[in-house]
Amino acid sequence: MNNTTSLHTPVSTDNTVPITATLLPDAQRLHFWPQHFGGIPQWILLEPRIFGWMDRLCENYSGGIWRFYTLSNGGAFMAPEPDDENDEQWTLFNTMNGNRGAMSSMAAGIAACLLEYSYHACRTECDAMTAHYYRLRGYALSHPECSAIMHLID
């Protein structure tokens, strides 16, 4: 049985290759952080801080299982598992910029990861973390919910 799900973003208008996200199989979850972020100072703090961002952004967030994704451009991120198969909209509010947005759980995870990746890159002054931010940002820019994501993290 193949547990890998690929999510494709549309080809951009400048004819670049689309960035795709692939759901990581459960058997590979244990190695996700050290494999993709192991060379980054204090990488062990990324996951709990992403949970913290979601807790601050989403009033109704109360924890849960998160899915891990890899990107075809070398990036990686995580997003909360949807509450049900309909993946209702999550309402997020960023108190730092006053922006609010309704989005899917995947888009909410992308936003939380972008905020933490940016924060961690600035805090550690690590070029590899900055590269992870821009890889995920590249995916977010072609995501169907790009506007909501960017408005929230602006």
Side-chain angles (χ1 to χ4, degrees):
M1 181 173 157
N2 184 353
N3 289 332
T4 303
T5 303
S6 289
L7 305 167
H8 300 279
T9 55
V11 177
S12 64
T13 56
D14 61 355
N15 294 324
T16 60
V17 176
I19 301 169
T20 58
T22 302
L23 178 63
L24 196 70
D26 287 344
Q28 296 176 16
R29 291 172 63 96
L30 183 63
H31 304 290
F32 176 82
W33 291 107
Q35 179 181 353
H36 297 285
F37 298 87
I40 295 168
Q42 302 172 7
W43 64 267
I44 197 84
L45 300 173
L46 289 168
E47 186 174 28
R49 287 186 173 156
I50 292 167
F51 296 152
W53 277 109
M54 187 60 73
D55 191 47
R56 284 187 294 277
L57 295 169
C58 186
E59 183 178 318
N60 295 327
Y61 175 71
S62 59
I65 297 172
W66 287 57
R67 295 176 174 173
F68 297 116
Y69 296 87
T70 58
L71 299 174
S72 58
N73 66 357
F77 71 98
M78 59 191 262
E81 201 169 78
D83 290 334
D84 59 29
E85 292 306 313
N86 296 332
D87 192 19
E88 81 279 354
Q89 295 287 294
W90 292 36
T91 300
L92 283 71
F93 177 70
N94 187 340
T95 59
M96 295 184 299
N97 64 13
N99 291 338
R100 178 180 309 276
M103 59 192 75
S104 67
S105 61
M106 177 182 261
I110 291 169
C113 286
L114 283 169
L115 287 165
E116 177 52 29
Y117 290 7
S118 175
Y119 173 79
H120 199 77
C122 290
R123 197 171 56 74
T124 61
E125 298 181 356
C126 178
D127 291 339
M129 194 68 229
T130 302
H132 271 290
Y133 171 84
Y134 281 107
R135 288 181 193 121
L136 181 53
R137 183 178 175 273
Y139 178 69
L141 288 173
S142 59
H143 191 275
E145 297 173 272
C146 172
S147 180
I149 294 166
M150 294 302 155
H151 186 71
L152 189 73
I153 69 167
D154 180 25

